[in-house]
Amino acid sequence: MRHLLQSAPRFEDWEGVHDALSDAYFPHAMHPKAVPGASASGIEVVDLDSCRLARITFGATVGIDSDHPGAVAVNIPLSGHLASRIGSKNYDAAPGRATAFPADTPAHMPAWAPDLVVLGLRIDSAHLHRESERVFARKDVRLPTDIDLRTPAGAAWFRMARTTFDNARDCGGVLYRDPQVADSVASMLVTGLLLAAVPEEPTGREMLRPRPVHRVIAAMEADPARAWTPADLAEIAGVSVRRLQQAFREHVGTTPFAHLNDIRLERIHDDLSHARGGNVTDVALAWGVTHLGRFAAAYRARYGELPSRTLARAA
């Protein structure tokens, strides 16, 4: 399923809360500390197939035990504190920090209080391993348990995750029902998390050469309309995302996605100049543009006129 599940208004007892959370997020054992409160609990989930975003609240303090079978849970407090024990170590997360619960590992959250609101990201283990190999071009990547979301990269990723959830809530999940869109969003979420959470690689492990850059540019030129992700490009280059970004800065003087946008602008300008492909929106969307306002501003900055003016002159 790929939809937004809103179940907050209809819980009648803690068994219903338990079952909804198990279906939406992870199987677990729940230990409510009070009988009333189930009806004030809320669980919403955005299903992106290989990962899920869930917003979770409880109407009374509960204890949670879970092994998180087959998937990693990244729990981000939006308010309150999340205390947990994973193995023999204790952790405490508050807004600005997140706790990553490893897959297939016993974890205990002793007192999830009513003021604790969590945005959780569930990532299938196989997907996380695959994306980490693509992002870092190595197999020994481990996601830290304690993740700082106050760094620039951490804050940017948190905004992405929250915007993804809010967009799904606003549109009822329609945006993510297309499998290709869902897969692309999932890949961006996981790639962004890895880049924000995993420490920088030691420098000097390998020399950066222009050949990986040439391969990526050739792939972009061949299919600029594709919904490329950083991991896609790094996989083509055969290096990590960070190394590819560094190589582009050194050999091209820009970032991979800035270069991709330049290619798209050139293709759009050529089509508009020859009145091919319909109206401006049709042409822009055909070449992979997803934000028409930013596109129009970039087009004007590059060509000195709005795209509609280019098309009008050619018609």
Side-chain angles (χ1 to χ4, degrees), residues 106-123:
H108 176 56
M109 288 156 272
W112 188 313
D115 67 336
L116 173 59
V117 181
V118 163
L119 181 64
L121 176 65
R122 171 194 166 117
I123 312 169

Side-chain angles (χ1 to χ4, degrees), residues 267-300:
R267 302 295 175 87
I268 294 168
H269 180 258
D270 185 60
D271 278 354
L272 295 178
S273 297
H274 295 86
R276 291 192 300 257
N279 59 38
V280 170
T281 298
D282 291 340
V283 173
L285 294 176
W287 286 112
V289 170
T290 57
H291 195 294
L292 294 174
R294 284 199 295 263
F295 151 70
Y299 187 98
R300 185 171 189 173

Side-chain angles (χ1 to χ4, degrees), residues 53-294:
L53 281 166
R55 188 181 186 275
I56 306 165
T57 60
F58 296 117
T61 299
V62 301
I64 299 285
D65 290 288
S66 178
D67 292 345
H68 299 97
V72 171
V74 180
N75 289 346
I76 311 160
L78 304 180
S79 64
H81 281 258
L82 175 62
S84 58
R85 185 173 69 249
I86 303 172
S88 60
K89 295 185 177 180
N90 294 320
Y91 298 90
D92 185 50
R97 304 198 78 86
T99 302
F101 294 78
D104 305 304
T105 303
H108 176 56
M109 288 156 272
W112 188 313
D115 67 336
L116 173 59
V117 181
V118 163
L119 181 64
L121 176 65
R122 171 194 166 117
I123 312 169
D124 290 350
S125 294
H127 181 75
L128 180 61
H129 293 157
R130 184 170 62 251
E131 288 297 297
S132 65
E133 289 182 17
R134 297 172 71 200
V135 169
F136 298 108
R138 55 189 175 94
K139 296 184 178 182
D140 57 340
V141 178
R142 294 180 63 87
L143 190 65
T145 304
D146 183 32
I147 300 174
D148 190 352
L149 299 178
R150 297 166 298 180
T151 66
W157 177 80
F158 173 61
R159 286 194 299 271
M160 181 196 309
R162 194 159 190 175
T163 298
T164 300
F165 181 87
D166 290 343
N167 286 343
R169 169 186 273 172
D170 292 343
C171 73
V174 173
L175 285 175
Y176 308 130
R177 287 177 184 166
D178 183 293
Q180 290 185 330
V181 173
D183 289 345
S184 178
V185 172
S187 181
M188 292 293 286
L189 281 173
V190 176
T191 297
L193 172 65
L194 289 166
L195 291 173
V198 177
E200 291 279 353
E201 299 171 68
T203 58
R205 284 182 53 186
E206 63 185 77
M207 292 296 292
L208 289 170
R209 301 191 179 107
R211 184 177 298 174
V213 174
H214 293 162
R215 288 199 296 268
V216 170
I217 290 175
M220 291 176 176
E221 293 277 2
D223 191 8
R226 176 174 166 178
W228 292 102
T229 67
D232 290 336
L233 300 177
E235 188 173 44
I236 290 170
V239 298
S240 71
V241 171
R242 287 189 180 125
R243 290 184 181 278
L244 180 61
Q245 291 171 341
Q246 183 181 350
F248 258 79
R249 286 194 297 269
E250 292 184 0
H251 297 291
V252 186
T254 187
T255 66
F257 278 91
H259 188 78
L260 175 61
N261 288 333
D262 286 343
I263 294 173
R264 288 172 173 168
L265 284 177
E266 291 173 2
R267 302 295 175 87
I268 294 168
H269 180 258
D270 185 60
D271 278 354
L272 295 178
S273 297
H274 295 86
R276 291 192 300 257
N279 59 38
V280 170
T281 298
D282 291 340
V283 173
L285 294 176
W287 286 112
V289 170
T290 57
H291 195 294
L292 294 174
R294 284 199 295 263

